[in-house]
Amino acid sequence: VQLQASGGGLVQAGGSLRLSCAASGRTFSSYNIHWFRQAPGKEREFVAAISWNGGSTYYADSVKGRFTISRDNAKNMVDLQMNSLKPGDTAVYYCAANRVWLFRGNDMEYWGKGTQVTVSS
């Protein structure tokens, strides 16, 4: 599975952005898709995940209630809708895939290139 994240940009605090993770490969629908982020000088952190069939989602406490993850297996696409953005959300966002419902970076099988999200105060 090859993954490519897009949709990042510069937004003011309180604004919204929608990230997309486009996947190639016929087995996309077999994979759970995750979003991680890494801010300068900080460790990579888990953001959100959606199960292979979209039936389960899981969020980091820091984004719960503000971010929503969704997927369209017919389009090989996963989206991350980010609302009420804060300067602390500034980071490079990555999508990743695995086949087990685990959320650590080391549990991922595939990673995409990241997309920069910058939230100004």
Side-chain angles (χ1 to χ4, degrees), residues 41 55 57 64-65 67 71 89-90 96 100 108 110:
T57 58
K64 203 172 294 183
F67 290 12
R71 71 186 294 159
D89 295 318
T90 295
V100 292
M108 301 300 119
Y110 300 98

Side-chain angles (χ1 to χ4, degrees), residues 90-107:
T90 295
V92 177
Y93 283 70
Y94 301 87
C95 55
N98 71 359
R99 287 172 287 184
V100 292
W101 196 233
L102 296 173
F103 312 107
R104 299 173 302 178
N106 290 344
D107 297 319

